[in-house]
Each structure stands twice: as C-alpha cells, then as structure tokens.
Amino acid sequence: MPLPLDATFRDALAGADRPLTGMWVCSGSPLIAELCAGAGLDWLLIDAEHSPNGLESILAQLQAVHGYPVQAMVRPPVNDTVLIKQYLDLGVQNLLIPMVHSVGDAEAAVAATRYPPAGVRGVGSALARASRWNRVPGYLADAEATLSVTVQIESSAAVSAVEAILAVDGVDAIFVGPSDLAASMGVLGQQEHPEVRAAVEHCLAAAQKAGKPAGVNAFNPATARHYLAGGASFILVGADVALLARGSEALATQFIPAPDDDSPVSY
C-alpha cells in the first residue's frame, strides 16, 4: 500500500506565520517524548549528543510522537556519515548536526543525507523505515525532499564562517548553541555574556540576509524573547529533564528545609 511521509521542519518553517517554539527531549523515554508531543509546542528536539539515546530509543520515540501535531528533530552525537545514514534509515526526517565549524563540515553533513551522485548516503531503502520499506512511492528519487538539515553554530570559528555555512546548498537552517559558543569564547557557563549575545545576534542577522531560518537555544524567557525579536525563526525554551529537575526541587523546597543553593552555571 502506498504511504506518504510527514512534512519536514523546513516545510513547517516556510509555512509558519510566527516563530516555532520547542523543547528538548533528553530523557530517552518514549513515554516522556509522547507526553511532550501533546503539550501544544511546535517541535521537539530528541537529543543523542548529551543524552542516553541510541538507535533503538530514537526509533521508539519517533514512533511515540508520530501522529501528534508536532515536528520531531533529532540531534546525533557527531557529524558522522555512517551514523547519519542509520538515523535516516530509522525514519528521522529532520536532523540537527552538532559542532559544524566550517563550510567543509556543513558540506559533509549535507552529503551524508543525499544519495549518489549528489552525496554519499548508502542505499538500503528496501530494508528501512525511512521509505516505509519501499511503500513510499519514488522514495529514492525524492528522498532529499523528505529531509531537512539544520546545522549547529556553536563555536567562534563557526560564527566567523556563518555566512559561508549559510550559503552551502542543502543547509536548510542554522541553530545557535550559546553554551558551547560561550565556552569557545573563553566565558564558559556565561551564555548571557555580552560578547556571546552579540555573536548570536550576528548569526541571526546573517541568516536573515541569506534568506534562511535561524534558531537558538534560550531557557531564560527574557533572553528567548530578545532573540525572537531579533529575528529567530525557531527556538528551544526548555527540556524534559530540566523541567523535572526544577519541579522536583520545588517540591522539596516546599516541604523540606533546603541547604544553601548554588545556581547552575549552564543550561
């Protein structure tokens, strides 16, 4: 039976009349992913770079959130051709590639998502959920249209090269990570540092000039609103694990005398 695939994050951005708001899903739990999928947010980022997610748990979370009115993006732990191939074959349609510092990194990420001759993705559609086991008509010819590639700008080198990275064919959007960016700028843990904010704003402006969407991570509501006013097309404003951590701490504070608090230095 012929089957369709979902629209991509690129399509959602193109059709949106406002910035898209999302959250991280880092627990590795399909149940939590599904709970978040029904919250009314626009998108979820299932993370495998800093979270306990492997191929099986990513697959389970994709299945759990499928059918909800939310876009699912997945971040692999590394910009690796083999791993990206496996993610795509699982049915990941929207990728966030971390630590893209240069044009070469961006080109490698795009090539990993394209079948030859346009790229280097291995061909296994008959075996893979991506094509619904060859139940999606014309998948091999049209696979590129079923995918979106967002690359992460999170170093001083990437900020310096952001205009060239944006110009890479196949890069649909950029996403700025202030935590790693702050570390690369010598102000570890200071996402609100004026130089970090200026670098984020530079990337947002460069994306607007290039006509491509740019997103940013900002858990501080005031900072999030500042970047949205500055042209961010999409944003992440929280994480499942952070919400649970802060919520459980609030319960403890309400009923148990607390020791001196050391505020976290990072998101």
Side-chain angles (χ1 to χ4, degrees):
M1 183 176 81
L3 296 174
L5 292 178
D6 295 333
T8 67
F9 191 68
R10 176 184 60 246
D11 299 325
L13 286 169
D17 58 3
R18 57 171 176 79
L20 302 184
T21 300
M23 67 177 287
W24 299 79
V25 178
C26 304
S27 64
S29 164
L31 179 65
I32 296 301
E34 184 173 5
L35 188 155
C36 295
L41 294 162
D42 299 306
W43 66 293
L44 303 177
L45 177 60
I46 300 169
D47 183 45
E49 185 183 15
H50 295 296
S51 305
N53 273 310
L55 296 175
E56 290 82 2
S57 66
I58 291 170
L59 172 60
Q61 287 171 86
L62 291 175
Q63 292 170 328
V65 306
H66 184 71
Y68 284 86
V70 67
Q71 285 281 327
M73 186 181 290
V74 182
R75 180 169 73 169
V78 65
N79 184 5
D80 178 80
T81 299
V82 173
L83 196 57
I84 289 171
K85 171 181 64 178
Q86 291 180 298
Y87 278 36
L88 296 180
D89 283 354
L90 284 181
V92 173
Q93 290 184 253
N94 307 300
L95 284 165
L96 176 63
I97 306 299
M99 295 293 178
V100 170
H101 306 303
S102 67
V103 167
D105 291 341
E107 290 175 339
V110 172
T113 70
R114 305 292 195 253
Y115 289 124
V120 296
R121 180 183 176 186
V123 182
S125 60
L127 311 175
R129 181 175 179 268
S131 68
R132 302 303 187 263
W133 303 277
N134 277 351
R135 291 170 178 160
V136 175
Y139 179 81
L140 286 177
D142 300 331
E144 178 180 331
T146 72
L147 307 172
S148 76
V149 178
T150 302
V151 301
Q152 196 154 1
I153 306 298
E154 47 188 343
S155 68
S156 296
V159 172
S160 296
V162 68
E163 289 87 357
I165 291 171
L166 282 159
V168 171
D169 185 32
V171 169
D172 296 305
I174 61 169
F175 184 80
V176 187
S179 291
D180 280 298
L181 180 55
S184 79
M185 296 175 70
V187 288
L188 178 65
Q190 299 181 53
Q191 293 88 353
E192 306 291 342
H193 191 284
E195 292 182 7
V196 176
R197 287 173 68 115
V200 175
E201 291 161 4
H202 170 76
C203 293
L204 296 179
Q208 284 188 309
K209 186 175 180 180
K212 289 188 177 181
V216 64
N217 192 58
F219 285 15
N220 181 317
T223 303
R225 292 188 182 96
H226 172 78
Y227 290 142
L228 289 169
S233 299
F234 57 106
I235 197 162
L236 290 173
V237 294
D240 56 350
V241 291
L243 291 170
L244 181 57
R246 302 295 85 78
S248 57
E249 289 162 4
L251 288 175
T253 299
Q254 185 175 1
F255 294 103
I256 301 171
D260 293 339
D261 178 54
D262 291 323
S263 296
V265 297
S266 184
Y267 298 139

